[in-house]
Amino acid sequence: MILILLGAPGVGKGTQGVLISKEYNIPQISTGDILRKEVKEQTELGKKAKAYMDKGELVPDDIIIDMMEKRIKQEDCKNGFILDGFPRTTAQAKAFDEMLQKNGLNLDKVLLIDVPEEEIISRLTGRRVCESCGAVYHIKYNPPKEDGVCDKCGGKLIQRDDDKEEVVRNRLEVYKKSTMPLIYYYKNSGKLVVVDGMGEIEEIFERVKEVLK
Ligand code: AP5
């Protein structure tokens, strides 16, 4: 199964991606997570990406396309994968179509998770992530058992630099300008399904499973 999770920042792509990955036993590939790892390790790619990410701007297409071309060829992708955060521009979507064609693969579905803007801001400003394992929490909606400590590995929970309100607002503008056109791109291919992203995490996952049946 090859799946794209589409939607504005903070709609729950990562949260649902983890659940889908467990249920169907295929990897979730988050471009944001890959880039944050590169930034942390201060690689050449990470140094280039950081300046864009801190402002909430998109990292240039050529860097992302090259990175994803290598990633989907890895062994763990042979039974399919879930894309979280890619493609994000029309150029990336076209490049991904070419990657699929070149490798004889077929895209199954594009799930567009839909959440109103004010809810997004509250989800992102309250998000906390584990600096060791990357697990995602929310101070109100999905809190850890112990304040500031990851349930899974005991790591420290931190706020992402780009989750400050002014950066979040810019990310939403960038989404509207650069990524929203993909809704029409995939609608035209007949692969787009809209999933209501409001409600409990488990409830939304039930909706997702229904669509993937
Ligand atoms: P990336 O990491 O991809 O960020 P994003 O798309 O902005 O998405 P988020 O991770 O912020 O949100 P999400 O939808 O995964 O929500 P989550 O599940 O965490 O990208 C970061 C940056 O990297 C970009 O700005 C760009 O610079 C660069 N980049 C990445 N990909 C790129 C590309 N392809 N091209 C160019 N540049 C790229 O949920 C959010 C919060 O809500 C959490 O706290 C969660 O616990 C909570 N929550 C989830 N579901 C619910 C619910 N149902 N009810 C209440 N709370 C909920």
Side-chain angles (χ1 to χ4, degrees), residues 7-16 30-33 35-36 52-53 56-61 64 84-88 92 119 123-124 126-128 136-138 141-142 160 162-163 171 197-201 204:
V11 293
K13 300 181 297 294
T15 303
Q16 294 300 323
S30 156
T31 38
D33 286 350
L35 291 168
R36 278 185 289 280
Y52 297 97
M53 295 171 79
E57 299 291 332
L58 294 181
V59 174
D61 285 334
I64 299 288
D84 160 11
F86 174 86
R88 236 170 163 110
Q92 291 180 20
E119 167 79 8
R123 283 190 189 183
L124 287 183
R127 172 165 60 186
R128 296 295 179 269
V136 175
Y137 299 87
H138 190 281
Y141 309 134
N142 183 23
R160 259 168 59 175
D162 61 351
D163 278 348
R171 284 163 63 198
M198 289 298 283
E200 298 289 324
I201 293 169
I204 297 159

Side-chain angles (χ1 to χ4, degrees), residues 3 6 17 32-33 52 65 69-70 75 86 103 105 110 112 114 116 134 162 176 178-180 184 196-197:
L3 209 64
L6 192 62
D33 286 350
Y52 297 97
I65 291 166
E69 234 163 356
K70 291 181 188 134
E75 183 61 19
F86 174 86
N103 294 290
L105 300 170
V110 179
L112 172 66
D114 186 36
D162 61 351
K176 283 178 202 158
S178 304
T179 309
M180 271 180 93
Y184 306 101
D196 177 5

Side-chain angles (χ1 to χ4, degrees), residues 101-114:
Q101 211 179 7
K102 235 175 19 197
N103 294 290
L105 300 170
N106 186 38
L107 172 65
D108 292 288
K109 277 199 169 60
V110 179
L111 300 190
L112 172 66
I113 307 181
D114 186 36

Side-chain angles (χ1 to χ4, degrees), residues 165-183:
E165 186 162 342
E166 66 280 11
V167 185
V168 167
R169 290 203 184 268
N170 188 41
R171 284 163 63 198
L172 285 169
E173 287 312 307
V174 169
Y175 171 76
K176 283 178 202 158
K177 193 169 125 246
S178 304
T179 309
M180 271 180 93
L182 293 189
I183 297 175

